[in-house]
Amino acid sequence: MSFQKVFGTSPDGTWRAPGRVNLIGEHTDYNDGLVLPIALPNRILVTASKRDDGRIAVASSGHRGVTEFAIDDLAPGSVGDWAAYPAGAAWILRESGYPIGGANLLVDSDLPSGAGLSSSAALLCATFVALLGLRDIEVDPAEIARLAQKAENQYVGAPVGLMDQMASMCCTAGHALFFDIRAMSTDQIPFDPPADDLALLVVDVKAPHRHVDGEYAARRTSCEQAAAELGVPALRSIAFEDLDDALGRLPDDVVRRRVRHVVTEIRRVEDAVALMRAGKLREVGPLFTASHASLRDDFEITVPELDVAVDTALEAGALGARMTGGGFGGCIIALVEASAADSVLSAIEKAFAEHGFSAPTSLAATPSAGASRVS
C-alpha cells in the first residue's frame, strides 16, 4: 500500500516498534513482579507525515479504509476497532501536554496478530514514536512505555501490565530485558543461544483465543483479591520462603493456586537470570518446563494446542518448553539444541496433524532492539 496513494502526500519518516516474546515471568507484571522478555525482529511500522489541522488519519495495510479524527475531540471510546490504538496514543499524548499536532499514519506489520506476541503494544509504541518523532520531541523510552500502558488501560480498556510496552521500547539486540516492575528498574542480560549451539523456537499454535479478555481480567482480579486478603500491596511482597504460610491463610483453593503460580514464577525468573549470567543457558530449560506446568495447573490459562506443542517439543528433545504470553492461545517457546530445531518443529507439526489442529507456524527468535526511527 502506497503512502502517496492513500494520503496524497509524501511521508516525513518511518518508525518501528517490535513485538516481544517473554522468556519467563508470566502474569507476574501486574503483581509487581519480575519478567524477562526479548524483542523480536518482527515489528510494526508506522510511516507518517505532519498535518497542521489538528486531525489524525490512520490507515493500515491489513484493514480497508481510512479512519480520521480530531485530536481535540478524542475521548475513551470515541474511536473503535484497531484504530482505537493509534487514537489512544494521540489522546494520552494530548492529555500529557505533548504538542504533537496532526498527522497521517500508515501502519504495516509482519507481526502476526493474535499470536500473543504483543502486536497491540507494538502498534501503540510505534504510533507514539512516530507522533513524537514528527515533531522532534524527545521522550525517554521507559516513559513512552508508561504512556503506552496508560493508553491501553484507559483508552482501549484493556487491563494490561507494563511488560509488553517496556520490551517494545527498551530491549537491546542480543539481550533479554530483566524488568523489575516494583522497582521500575531494568537490566540487560546477555542472551545469545546460537553462541551455545542452541536455538529458541517460537511456535504459533494458531489456536483461537478463547474468552481471553474476561479470563485475563479474572486472573488479575484473583491476584488482587489475594493480595488484599493477605494484607500486602501486591503478590510480589510474598517471599518464596513464606509461600506455604500465605497459602494456609487463603480459604479459596482457586485463589491459592493463582498465588502459588505468581510467587513460584517470580522465583523462576530470578533463577533463570542467575543461570544466564553464569553462562549456563542449557540449565534454563527445566525452568521453562516448570513454568508451563504452573501456568497449566495453577493458573489454568493453557489450551490443548499449547499443551500438545510443549509436550511434543519435550518428547522430541527440547531442553525446555512453555507457553508464552497471556494464554488461551498464542505461542510456545522451546529451548533446543540448534541441530535439533528442525526435528522438533517437524514433530510438533506431525502431532498437530494427528490431533486435527491447524498447522502451526514458527518465528525466528533473535533478540532484537526496541523501537526506533527507520527513515
Side-chain angles (χ1 to χ4, degrees):
M1 182 182 290
S2 163
F3 190 92
Q4 177 79 41
K5 184 175 181 180
V6 175
F7 296 112
T9 185
S10 297
D12 294 318
T14 299
W15 290 260
R16 58 169 286 281
R20 64 93 186 99
V21 64
N22 190 25
L23 297 181
I24 197 162
E26 221 61 79
H27 287 266
T28 57
D29 58 344
Y30 54 80
N31 289 291
D32 282 357
L34 306 171
V35 293
L36 192 66
I38 61 171
L40 295 169
N42 305 74
R43 78 291 178 267
I44 285 180
L45 291 176
V46 173
T47 302
S49 66
K50 291 190 288 288
R51 293 174 59 148
D52 297 322
D53 59 357
R55 298 182 67 83
I56 291 178
V58 295
S60 167
S61 59
H63 300 84
R64 298 180 63 181
V66 177
T67 301
E68 187 170 326
F69 47 83
I71 297 173
D72 287 344
D73 293 342
L74 286 173
S78 60
V79 178
D81 200 22
W82 76 272
Y85 291 89
W91 174 74
I92 203 71
L93 285 170
R94 184 200 75 192
E95 293 295 290
S96 302
Y98 291 101
I100 55 171
N104 296 314
L105 307 174
L106 178 61
V107 177
D108 194 13
S109 174
D110 64 359
L111 189 63
S113 178
L117 300 176
S118 194
S119 57
S120 61
L123 174 55
L124 276 165
C125 290
T127 305
F128 272 101
V129 294
L131 290 174
L132 292 167
L134 282 173
R135 308 291 168 170
D136 296 319
I137 302 171
E138 294 188 8
V139 180
D140 180 76
E143 177 61 19
I144 294 176
R146 285 188 284 269
L147 291 171
Q149 183 199 20
K150 285 184 180 179
E152 196 156 2
N153 288 169
Q154 299 175 20
Y155 193 93
V156 180
V160 298
L162 186 57
M163 174 184 68
D164 296 348
Q165 301 84 359
M166 285 292 289
S168 193
M169 290 304 307
C170 299
C171 278
T172 60
H175 293 79
L177 183 73
F178 181 34
F179 177 31
D180 183 329
I181 284 84
R182 183 171 63 185
M184 285 301 296
S185 63
T186 60
D187 195 5
Q188 302 290 341
I189 308 299
F191 181 70
D192 184 13
D196 286 326
D197 295 320
L198 297 172
L200 183 74
L201 303 179
V202 180
V203 182
D204 181 357
V205 302
K206 300 293 183 180
H209 279 72
R210 303 177 176 102
H211 314 298
V212 62
D213 291 335
E215 293 289 353
Y216 183 99
R219 297 306 183 280
R220 184 165 186 162
T221 298
S222 291
C223 293
E224 292 168 350
Q225 173 189 337
E229 289 184 25
L230 293 169
V232 295
L235 295 183
R236 169 70 179 281
S237 299
I238 306 300
F240 180 79
E241 294 76 14
D242 297 331
L243 176 58
D244 288 343
D245 175 69
L247 296 180
R249 294 160 54 197
L250 294 168
D252 185 84
D253 180 62
V254 171
V255 173
R256 283 198 297 269
R257 286 187 282 118
R258 305 298 187 250
V259 171
R260 184 166 57 205
H261 164 72
V262 172
V263 175
T264 59
E265 185 80 346
I266 290 170
R267 170 56 68 91
R268 284 186 285 269
V269 177
E270 294 171 330
D271 291 345
V273 168
L275 289 168
M276 290 164 63
R277 282 175 167 158
K280 299 178 179 179
L281 188 51
R282 280 176 173 79
E283 295 181 31
V284 175
L287 295 173
F288 286 4
T289 305
S291 173
H292 183 81
S294 181
L295 290 161
R296 181 192 63 214
D297 301 335
D298 280 346
F299 225 62
E300 297 180 289
I301 59 170
T302 70
V303 293
E305 291 91 338
L306 292 169
D307 294 333
V308 168
V310 166
D311 292 344
T312 303
L314 295 171
E315 291 166 4
L319 301 172
R322 73 177 197 90
M323 63 141 283
T324 185
F328 307 102
C331 292
I332 72 153
I333 57 172
L335 187 65
V336 302
E337 301 289 349
S339 59
D342 289 343
S343 61
V344 171
L345 286 172
S346 295
I348 294 173
E349 290 169 355
K350 181 181 178 183
F352 271 45
E354 291 173 349
H355 281 79
F357 298 155
S358 298
T361 58
S362 60
L363 300 172
T366 306
S368 301
S372 65
R373 183 167 185 161
V374 177
S375 62

